[in-house]
Amino acid sequence: MTESLPATAVVRASRATFDPSRFAEVDAVNTKTSEYLIPAVTRLPGLIHFSPDGSMLQVSVWDSEEHSAQLNHLKEMVVIARGEMEAVGVKFTPIATYPVSWTI
């Protein structure tokens, strides 16, 4: 990321755990939910960057904690996707936000 961040910027980290023997199921559901979650998340104001790739750590960068908190109430996130992921054994840990104290 080369753009400058506002002084109020936060990083939101969503972590989850699951039984490794169910990786194929979790991966398939993660791919499925990304098809509707990414468009829903990108419509929210304040999003600077979203990275849903890789492991079950999803990181997004927001211009403020207030804007980051929108995801706590986004139906596609907290009802639909969460239900689909939990159905294949995914357990979510509490979501954390971190202020951006410096960038390189």
Side-chain angles (χ1 to χ4, degrees):
M1 234 170 44
T2 58
E3 68 265 28
S4 62
L5 297 173
T8 56
V10 297
V11 173
R12 183 178 192 274
S14 172
R15 299 180 309 146
T17 60
F18 56 91
D19 180 341
S21 68
R22 298 186 77 178
F23 177 80
E25 288 176 275
V26 171
D27 188 49
V29 173
N30 191 44
T31 298
K32 177 184 175 188
T33 61
S34 72
E35 292 173 8
Y36 60 82
L37 273 178
I38 291 172
V41 171
T42 57
R43 284 192 298 270
L44 298 175
L47 179 66
I48 295 171
H49 183 72
F50 186 74
S51 176
D53 299 326
S55 68
M56 291 305 297
L57 172 66
Q58 297 175 333
V59 176
S60 53
V61 181
W62 294 85
D63 62 1
S64 67
E65 191 159 352
E66 177 186 3
H67 279 147
S68 168
Q70 296 171 107
L71 291 181
N72 298 336
H73 308 287
L74 184 66
K75 179 182 174 184
E76 292 89 344
M77 178 77 71
V78 298
V79 177
I80 303 169
R82 186 178 189 102
E84 291 188 52
M85 294 300 277
E86 288 176 341
V88 294
V90 173
K91 294 180 179 144
F92 292 93
T93 59
I95 292 171
T97 57
Y98 306 94
V100 177
S101 58
W102 52 269
T103 60
I104 297 175

